[in-house]
Amino acid sequence: RELADVVALGPRVLVGTSRKRFLAEPLGADPDERRRDLATAVTSVLAARAGAWAVRVHDVAATRDALAVLGAWDG
């Protein structure tokens, strides 16, 4: 939630939320890999919005698509 504050400190910030357990918790009982990948794409968009330098993911294509939509949305 405070990622923008961390980014503001100056050094490049790499975010690695890919398929982490904390992403599974709001999704309910034992979400499959596909659902965790979708949650990862969401956190990647949020990280980009906060100014993260990079994100570490398993599903590169889905994350690239999510970031492309963010770029189009922000214009």
Side-chain angles (χ1 to χ4, degrees), residues 5-74:
D5 294 338
V6 174
V7 169
L9 296 174
R12 293 183 196 178
V13 175
L14 169 68
V15 175
T17 61
S18 191
R19 297 182 185 165
K20 297 296 184 261
R21 185 172 314 159
F22 80 91
L23 295 176
E25 290 173 10
L27 300 178
D30 198 27
D32 64 17
E33 202 171 89
R34 183 184 59 79
R35 290 185 66 208
R36 283 194 190 199
D37 283 337
L38 177 58
T40 299
V42 171
T43 60
S44 296
V45 166
L46 294 170
R49 271 266 166 96
W53 170 70
V55 292
R56 182 219 173 262
V57 300
H58 287 90
D59 187 344
V60 175
T63 301
R64 186 182 317 122
D65 289 348
L67 292 170
V69 170
L70 173 64
W73 183 274
D74 286 346

